[in-house]
Coordinates of all heavy atoms in Angstrom, one line a residue:
D595 N 0.8 -1.2 0.0 CA 0.0 0.0 0.0 C 0.9 1.3 0.0 O 0.6 2.3 0.7 CB -0.9 0.0 1.2 CG -2.0 -1.1 1.2 OD1 -2.4 -1.5 0.1 OD2 -2.3 -1.6 2.2
V596 N 1.9 1.3 -0.8 CA 2.7 2.5 -1.0 C 2.2 3.2 -2.2 O 1.9 2.6 -3.2 CB 4.2 2.1 -1.2 CG1 5.1 3.4 -1.4 CG2 4.8 1.3 0.0
A597 N 2.0 4.5 -2.0 CA 1.4 5.3 -3.1 C 2.2 5.3 -4.3 O 3.5 5.5 -4.3 CB 1.2 6.7 -2.6
L598 N 1.6 5.2 -5.5 CA 2.2 5.3 -6.8 C 1.7 6.6 -7.4 O 0.5 6.9 -7.4 CB 1.8 4.1 -7.7 CG 2.3 2.7 -7.3 CD1 1.6 1.6 -8.1 CD2 3.8 2.7 -7.5
F599 N 2.6 7.3 -8.0 CA 2.3 8.6 -8.6 C 3.0 8.7 -10.0 O 4.2 8.5 -10.1 CB 2.8 9.8 -7.7 CG 2.3 11.1 -8.2 CD1 1.1 11.6 -7.9 CD2 3.1 11.9 -9.1 CE1 0.6 12.8 -8.3 CE2 2.6 13.1 -9.6 CZ 1.4 13.6 -9.2
S600 N 2.2 8.9 -11.0 CA 2.7 8.9 -12.4 C 3.1 10.3 -12.8 O 2.2 11.2 -12.8 CB 1.6 8.4 -13.4 OG 2.1 8.5 -14.7
A601 N 4.4 10.5 -13.0 CA 4.9 11.8 -13.4 C 6.1 11.5 -14.3 O 7.3 11.6 -13.8 CB 5.3 12.7 -12.3
P602 N 5.9 11.2 -15.6 CA 7.0 10.8 -16.5 C 8.2 11.7 -16.5 O 9.4 11.2 -16.3 CB 6.4 10.7 -17.8 CG 4.9 10.4 -17.5 CD 4.6 11.2 -16.3
P603 N 8.1 13.0 -16.7 CA 9.3 13.9 -16.7 C 10.1 13.8 -15.3 O 11.3 13.8 -15.3 CB 8.8 15.3 -17.0 CG 7.5 15.1 -17.6 CD 6.9 13.8 -17.0
L604 N 9.3 13.9 -14.2 CA 9.9 13.8 -12.9 C 10.6 12.5 -12.7 O 11.7 12.4 -12.1 CB 8.9 14.1 -11.8 CG 9.4 14.1 -10.4 CD1 10.5 15.2 -10.2 CD2 8.3 14.4 -9.4
A605 N 10.0 11.4 -13.0 CA 10.6 10.1 -12.9 C 11.9 9.9 -13.6 O 12.9 9.4 -13.1 CB 9.6 9.0 -13.3
R606 N 11.8 10.4 -14.9 CA 13.1 10.3 -15.7 C 14.2 11.2 -15.1 O 15.4 10.8 -15.1 CB 12.8 10.7 -17.1 CG 12.0 9.7 -17.9 CD 11.9 10.0 -19.4 NE 11.2 11.2 -19.7 CZ 9.9 11.3 -20.0 NH1 9.2 10.2 -20.2 NH2 9.4 12.4 -20.3
S607 N 13.8 12.4 -14.7 CA 14.8 13.3 -14.1 C 15.4 12.7 -12.8 O 16.7 12.8 -12.6 CB 14.2 14.7 -13.8 OG 13.8 15.2 -15.0
L608 N 14.6 12.1 -12.0 CA 15.1 11.5 -10.7 C 16.0 10.3 -11.0 O 17.0 10.2 -10.4 CB 13.9 11.1 -9.8 CG 13.2 12.3 -9.2 CD1 11.9 11.7 -8.5 CD2 14.0 13.0 -8.1
F609 N 15.6 9.5 -12.0 CA 16.3 8.3 -12.3 C 17.7 8.6 -12.8 O 18.7 8.0 -12.5 CB 15.6 7.5 -13.3 CG 16.2 6.2 -13.7 CD1 16.1 5.0 -12.9 CD2 17.0 6.1 -14.8 CE1 16.7 3.9 -13.2 CE2 17.7 4.9 -15.1 CZ 17.5 3.8 -14.3
H610 N 17.8 9.6 -13.7 CA 19.1 9.9 -14.3 C 20.0 10.9 -13.5 O 21.2 11.0 -13.8 CB 18.8 10.5 -15.7 CG 18.3 9.6 -16.7 ND1 18.9 8.4 -17.1 CD2 17.1 9.6 -17.4 CE1 18.2 7.8 -17.9 NE2 17.1 8.5 -18.2
S611 N 19.5 11.5 -12.5 CA 20.3 12.5 -11.7 C 20.6 12.1 -10.3 O 21.5 12.7 -9.7 CB 19.5 13.8 -11.6 OG 18.3 13.6 -10.9
T612 N 20.1 11.0 -9.8 CA 20.4 10.5 -8.5 C 20.7 9.0 -8.4 O 20.3 8.3 -9.3 CB 19.2 10.8 -7.5 OG1 18.0 10.1 -8.1 CG2 18.9 12.3 -7.4
K613 N 21.3 8.7 -7.4 CA 21.6 7.3 -7.1 C 21.0 6.9 -5.8 O 20.6 7.7 -5.0 CB 23.1 7.0 -7.0 CG 23.8 7.2 -8.3 CD 25.3 6.9 -8.2 CE 26.1 7.2 -9.5 NZ 27.5 6.9 -9.4
I614 N 20.9 5.6 -5.5 CA 20.3 5.1 -4.3 C 21.0 5.6 -3.1 O 22.3 5.6 -3.0 CB 20.2 3.6 -4.3 CG1 19.4 3.1 -5.5 CG2 19.7 3.1 -3.0 CD1 19.4 1.6 -5.6
G615 N 20.3 6.2 -2.1 CA 20.9 6.7 -0.9 C 21.2 8.2 -1.0 O 21.6 8.8 0.0
Q616 N 21.1 8.8 -2.2 CA 21.3 10.2 -2.4 C 20.0 11.1 -2.2 O 18.9 10.6 -2.4 CB 21.9 10.5 -3.8 CG 23.3 10.0 -4.0 CD 23.8 10.4 -5.3 OE1 23.1 10.8 -6.2 NE2 25.1 10.3 -5.5
Q617 N 20.2 12.3 -1.8 CA 19.1 13.2 -1.7 C 18.8 13.8 -3.1 O 19.7 13.9 -4.0 CB 19.4 14.4 -0.7 CG 19.5 13.9 0.7 CD 19.8 15.0 1.7 OE1 19.9 16.2 1.3 NE2 19.9 14.7 3.0
I618 N 17.6 14.2 -3.4 CA 17.2 14.7 -4.7 C 17.9 16.0 -4.9 O 18.3 16.8 -4.0 CB 15.7 14.8 -4.8 CG1 15.2 15.9 -3.8 CG2 15.0 13.5 -4.5 CD1 13.7 16.3 -4.0
P619 N 18.2 16.4 -6.2 CA 18.8 17.7 -6.5 C 17.9 18.8 -6.1 O 16.7 18.7 -6.0 CB 18.9 17.6 -8.0 CG 18.8 16.2 -8.4 CD 18.0 15.6 -7.4
A620 N 18.5 20.0 -5.8 CA 17.8 21.1 -5.3 C 16.8 21.6 -6.3 O 15.7 22.1 -6.0 CB 18.8 22.3 -5.0
G621 N 17.1 21.4 -7.6 CA 16.2 21.9 -8.7 C 14.9 21.1 -8.7 O 13.9 21.6 -9.4
L622 N 14.8 20.0 -8.1 CA 13.6 19.1 -8.1 C 12.8 19.2 -6.8 O 11.9 18.5 -6.6 CB 14.0 17.7 -8.4 CG 14.7 17.4 -9.7 CD1 15.0 15.9 -9.8 CD2 13.8 17.8 -10.9
Y623 N 13.3 20.1 -5.9 CA 12.6 20.2 -4.6 C 11.1 20.6 -4.8 O 10.2 20.0 -4.2 CB 13.2 21.3 -3.7 CG 14.5 20.9 -3.1 CD1 15.2 21.8 -2.3 CD2 15.0 19.6 -3.2 CE1 16.4 21.5 -1.6 CE2 16.2 19.3 -2.6 CZ 16.9 20.2 -1.8 OH 18.1 19.8 -1.2

């Protein structure tokens, strides 16, 4: 029961700019 949220541009940006254990970039806050 973990929430799923569809946001293709955001998902792609997070996948390509971060690694596991890292905080998200400031531009995506």
Side-chain angles (χ1 to χ4, degrees):
D595 295 328
V596 179
L598 293 169
F599 187 88
S600 177
L604 180 58
R606 289 191 293 264
S607 299
L608 288 170
F609 182 83
H610 290 301
S611 63
T612 57
K613 295 181 180 180
I614 298 174
Q616 290 183 344
Q617 296 182 357
I618 65 173
L622 299 178
Y623 282 180

